[in-house]
Every structure is written in C-alpha cells, then in structure tokens.
Amino acid sequence: MKITVVGGGSTYTPELIDGFARLGLPVTEIALVDPDPDRLDVIAPFARRILARQGSSAKITTTADPDEGIDGTDAVLLQLRIGGQAARHVDETFPHECGCIGQETTGAGGLAKALRTVPVVLDLAERVAKRAPNAWIVDFTNPVGIVTRALLDAGHRAVGLCNVAIGFQRTFADWLGVDHERVALDHIGLNHLTWERAVRLDGVDVLSRIFDEHGQALADRLRMPLDVVRRLGVVPSYYLRYYYAHDEVLREQLAEPSRARQVAEMEGDLLKMYADPDLTEKPALLDKRGGAYYSEAAVQLVHALTADTGDVRVANVRNNGTLPFLPDDAVIEVPSRIDAQGATPLPVTSVEPLFAGLIAHVTAYEELALEAALHGGVDQVATALLAHPLVGQVKVAEELAAKLVAANREHLWWAR
C-alpha cells in the first residue's frame, strides 16, 4: 500500500510515520509531498530512522511535485498549511482590531484559512481523481468541516478527520483504567464544535462517574468552571470556550503571544531535534505541538477505508438526514461506519436545543464560507462573517472582511 502525505514537511509528520510503523498497516511506500526541500531534507531521514527502529520495510520518498507523489497511491492525507505559521499569526491577530477573538479554525481567522485552503485542496483532489482514482482522500487540514464539504461537493472520495474525539476517548479510558477500545462516545456536532453526551464503557454510560471522580481534571482540561460543565451535562470540546467565554478568551489573547508564534518556536526546536542522526523516535516536545493521537486516528481510518472493515470511528461526513434540522449536504462530525464505500453516519438521538441551535448557526456560516472560498468577493466574505455567531454585526463583519482580504491578497486568486 502506498500512502501520500501532502504537507509531508510538517513537524507533525514523524507522529504520523510512527503510527503507520507501530500500528502495523501494510504500507510499502510513504510519499512525502512538500514544496519546501529544506524541511523534507530533515523530515525524510528522521522518518526513515523511525521506520527502521520499528522494523518496518516501508520506504520514504520525497517530492515537491504533487502528481509524482500521488501516482498510484491508495490514500492521500492532507495536512497542508497555506501561508505557514506567518499566515496563522495574522489569522490569530487581525480580528483583535475589531474586538473579536483570533483563531485559526473558527471566526474570521478560520474563514481566512478556509479561503486560502479550499482552492488548493480542490486542485490536489482533481490530481488524485486523474492519477489515483480509487484512492481515498483523508483531510486533516483545517477548517476540516469546510474543506471536507468542498471535497464532497466536488464529488471526491473524501473523509474528514479530527483528533478531538480520539483524544477524549483515550483520556477517559485512562481515567477509568480500561483499554480504550472498551470506551465509545456519543460525540455530536460539527468539526471543532462538538459535545460528548455520553461516555459508554462496555455499552454503559459512565459520564456521571467521570464528573464525580475526575470532574476537576476535566474542567482544567477544558479550561471551563466545573459547575458550568456540570450544568451543561455534557463534555464540550475545548473549542466551545470561544463561544461560551468569548470575552475572557479575547482578554487572554490580547495579553499573550499568538499560538502561531509559540508553535513556530516549537517547530524550530523540533526541526533541530529531527536533524540529529541519533534520534530514532519522536521527541516528547512533539506532544506539546498538538495533535495528540493524530497517528492513531489516521491509521484507523485509512485501514477501515482500504480493508473494508466496517469499524465505527468519529469522522466528518455528509449529514444525509442524521441531524434533521440541518441540510442533507451539511458536513457533521459523528460516529460513522467506515468501509470501502466511505463513511456512513450512525443514527443519533435527538439533539438538545442548546446544542442544536449553535450547530445550525455555524452550519449556515460554513455554507456561506464555502461559497466565498469558491467564488470570491469581499461582499461574500462579509456575508459569511455576518452569519458567524462570533461576529454577527454588519459593521464588524465589513471591517473584518476588508482586513482579511488585505492580509491574504497573495493567496486569494480573485483578489490579486
């Protein structure tokens, strides 16, 4: 089996390589595609050392040419970042000028990333359709919900994936002292807008036990007061803090370096570590980079798609009636059955109004965001921002749209 990683020069890549080697997928080649040869010159040798240490015979190839990397592949993993950490820093800071939070996957910053990313991903997907028509595209590139919807709308074989659900599953399993495969989540929502409504151990909901025995640890992880979490009666994704505590988060952001600045510093340190010819396993610092259990999620999904296993995994998939208050073509993040036909969402129980309202609101924004990414125009950008619950005011939306376009002009085909 050949796996292609677009964005192979990412500092995340060793985590992914480690997963493919450690978890036993029958991989013969991993093609790393990246326009930055300096990064590939560091990442590829380290990847080969990881594989050798794990006893894997898979070979690592590198190229700046997507077509070469895609030829004959079985799965394409997308983990690209258009504009790099510099663009992310802008995403995380320009909304502050209008009194809004800055974040790379939601709000104005998330829209900026979507506008830069969707056209590039669609071009890559067309290349996959021509050179490896049976390959699956697995999208990790944020904002995953919007990017996955773009791929599916264009008719591509694609599934979106995030590490939030698997992170909660592994954390809860550790707290319960059980094997993680015994734990299943009632995970509902959109990418980066999800709630765990139940935590089932061998089919029995133990969420109340987690609240009772590990409530403070959970609250600390979410950076939310324990009484708020208990009142909600669910475990919200930590991304919900941008909605539930917007003003508090904004004050924190104004007082701290951007996450992009922190990550850029970490990446510099990681690349120095990766260049050490004696390093044969991923360093502890990589865990602080983010993306916990990224490799496990990727390997599980690719295996289920290519081996037709029918495993149940949380994925970003077409709604198709699963949440009746959303359009069928919306992309939701729920437990899904994964097989050779793709990802099929499992039925879910009725969603409470507190969650359904926000899901519907953000889904409307995502539809408009995709329209802006596909067709361009400052007015369309402002309209998408007006629909976002973190913006929602005409003057603010117009100001943010102008700033967004000015800052990203080189990456927007319609604004150059």
Side-chain angles (χ1 to χ4, degrees):
M1 177 186 298
K2 177 180 177 180
I3 304 292
T4 302
V5 182
V6 179
S10 168
T11 53
Y12 273 136
T13 297
E15 164 78 18
L16 190 60
I17 300 297
D18 175 76
F20 280 117
R22 180 168 42 83
L23 300 175
L25 208 64
V27 177
T28 55
E29 178 183 354
I30 302 175
L32 305 182
V33 179
D34 201 285
D36 188 336
D38 293 335
R39 283 212 171 208
L40 287 178
D41 285 347
V42 173
I43 299 294
F46 181 38
R48 294 184 183 108
R49 296 195 300 273
I50 291 174
L51 292 175
R53 185 177 188 275
Q54 297 282 358
S56 171
S57 61
K59 67 177 180 178
I60 298 289
T61 59
T62 64
T63 182
D65 180 3
D67 290 342
E68 180 182 346
I70 288 166
D71 272 338
T73 196
D74 296 282
V76 178
L77 308 187
L78 301 179
Q79 58 172 23
L80 55 131
R81 183 182 292 279
I82 307 302
Q85 295 298 333
R88 176 179 180 173
H89 173 73
V90 175
D91 294 346
E92 294 175 338
T93 53
F94 84 83
H96 294 165
E97 300 172 32
C98 297
C100 296
I101 64 163
Q103 214 280 325
E104 66 155 343
T105 63
T106 192
L111 178 57
K113 193 171 193 299
L115 296 177
R116 295 193 302 270
T117 304
V118 165
V120 175
V121 166
L122 290 178
D123 175 73
L124 288 166
E126 288 299 325
R127 295 168 186 262
V128 174
K130 292 177 182 177
R131 295 178 174 273
N134 294 320
W136 281 100
I137 299 173
V138 177
D139 178 59
F140 295 97
T141 297
N142 285 318
V144 167
I146 296 172
V147 173
T148 302
R149 182 165 179 170
L151 288 165
L152 293 174
D153 283 359
H156 296 293
R157 291 161 55 86
V159 181
L161 190 61
C162 180
N163 70 323
V164 168
I166 194 173
F168 275 132
Q169 182 211 31
R170 299 303 174 90
T171 296
F172 297 151
D174 289 345
W175 287 349
L176 295 166
V178 301
D179 184 270
H180 64 269
E181 290 293 347
R182 295 174 58 191
V183 175
L185 304 177
D186 180 4
H187 180 99
I188 190 75
L190 311 177
N191 180 243
H192 289 181
L193 192 86
T194 52
W195 299 262
E196 313 305 332
R197 299 188 299 173
V199 178
R200 297 190 177 93
L201 174 59
D202 299 330
V204 177
D205 186 8
V206 294
L207 182 57
S208 61
R209 175 181 165 188
I210 288 174
F211 283 160
D212 291 342
E213 298 178 4
H214 304 280
Q216 193 54 56
L218 177 60
D220 291 345
R221 175 190 172 105
L222 299 173
R223 298 183 67 191
M224 294 183 190
L226 178 56
D227 65 320
V228 172
V229 179
R230 285 187 176 277
R231 186 165 73 250
L232 291 171
V234 298
V235 180
S237 161
Y238 36 86
Y239 288 93
L240 266 298
R241 191 165 179 262
Y242 297 117
Y243 299 84
Y244 293 163
H246 176 279
D247 293 352
E248 181 182 347
V249 172
L250 178 58
R251 286 193 295 271
E252 292 170 358
Q253 289 186 346
L254 292 173
E256 300 170 354
S258 70
R259 176 65 178 163
R261 290 283 189 251
Q262 299 172 40
V263 169
E265 183 176 343
M266 255 185 277
E267 287 191 331
D269 293 338
L270 284 169
L271 289 170
K272 290 177 184 177
M273 293 178 181
Y274 295 170
D276 179 356
D278 294 324
L279 186 68
T280 60
E281 57 185 343
K282 59 180 185 177
L285 180 61
L286 184 54
D287 293 337
K288 297 181 180 179
R289 171 69 179 82
Y293 306 113
Y294 165 55
S295 60
E296 281 86 348
V299 172
Q300 289 173 356
L301 185 60
V302 170
H303 176 61
L305 289 168
T306 56
D308 195 23
T309 66
D311 290 350
V312 174
R313 305 293 177 192
V314 172
N316 284 262
V317 298
R318 284 284 198 212
N319 178 45
N320 286 337
T322 306
L323 302 183
F325 54 89
L326 296 184
D328 284 349
D329 60 357
V331 167
I332 60 175
E333 186 172 292
V334 294
S336 304
R337 190 167 304 282
I338 315 295
D339 56 27
Q341 303 307 309
T344 303
L346 300 182
V348 303
T349 57
S350 178
V351 179
E352 298 81 348
L354 179 62
F355 316 132
L358 190 52
I359 291 170
H361 198 162
V362 176
T363 295
Y365 151 75
E366 290 191 346
E367 181 176 345
L368 293 167
L370 182 53
E371 286 297 308
L374 293 175
H375 305 296
V378 178
D379 289 346
Q380 188 72 11
V381 173
T383 298
L385 289 169
L386 183 60
H388 200 293
L390 295 179
V391 181
Q393 299 180 71
V394 172
K395 184 177 179 181
V396 175
E398 290 174 348
E399 290 179 358
L400 284 171
K403 292 178 184 296
L404 185 160
V405 173
N408 289 274
R409 198 173 300 278
E410 67 176 297
H411 299 295
L412 304 178
W413 58 268
W414 49 267
R416 292 173 191 152

